[in-house]
Amino acid sequence: MSEEQKATTIFQLADQFIALANELNSQEQDVGKVGTAMRFAAARFNAFEAAIKSSDLKAEKDNALEWFTKEFHDMLSDNLDDHIQNPPKAAEEPKKDESVQVFNGQ
């Protein structure tokens, strides 16, 4: 098996994060809370990634924000398109959680 075949893809890694998020959602019964925690964790880890890769994070902060924002925008857009084409079936109405702002499309 080649090194390329042995390497874990970003999609396989993402599936592991999603599996954990699904497990946490099962425990919490609050997809908004889990989603917010996942976004916070991604922001925290991406800030760490930027700090490790940058020789002067203070000077490069705006470029890092622009790059990470575009990456997230493109990935979110692709996944929203996928859910438009293949809507998930909700088991029940989501619970209201005042600690998480609910997206209502406005």
Side-chain angles (χ1 to χ4, degrees):
M1 183 180 287
S2 73
E3 286 302 312
E4 187 174 302
Q5 290 171 318
K6 289 182 191 177
T8 306
T9 70
I10 63 165
F11 302 107
Q12 291 167 323
L13 290 171
D15 285 345
Q16 291 178 43
F17 285 115
I18 292 166
L20 177 57
N22 287 333
E23 180 182 324
L24 292 170
N25 187 51
S26 221
Q27 295 168 11
E28 294 291 326
Q29 295 295 304
D30 190 338
V31 70
K33 183 178 183 181
V34 174
T36 299
M38 185 176 242
R39 286 187 299 278
F40 181 79
R44 179 179 276 180
F45 194 84
N46 289 159
F48 170 73
E49 178 187 359
I52 294 297
K53 291 179 175 180
S54 174
S55 59
D56 184 355
L57 186 57
K58 184 175 182 178
E60 296 171 354
K61 179 183 175 184
D62 288 341
N63 289 339
L65 280 167
E66 185 178 329
W67 187 85
F68 282 106
T69 300
K70 182 183 180 324
E71 285 286 300
F72 182 79
H73 178 275
D74 292 348
M75 291 175 191
L76 180 58
S77 181
D78 288 347
N79 282 280
L80 287 171
D81 287 342
D82 183 52
H83 283 293
I84 290 167
Q85 295 297 318
N86 308 291
K89 295 184 173 106
E92 60 185 62
E93 189 70 23
K95 290 168 59 175
K96 298 286 185 198
D97 180 354
E98 296 302 320
S99 67
V100 179
Q101 182 178 359
V102 177
F103 174 77
N104 62 13
Q106 296 179 1

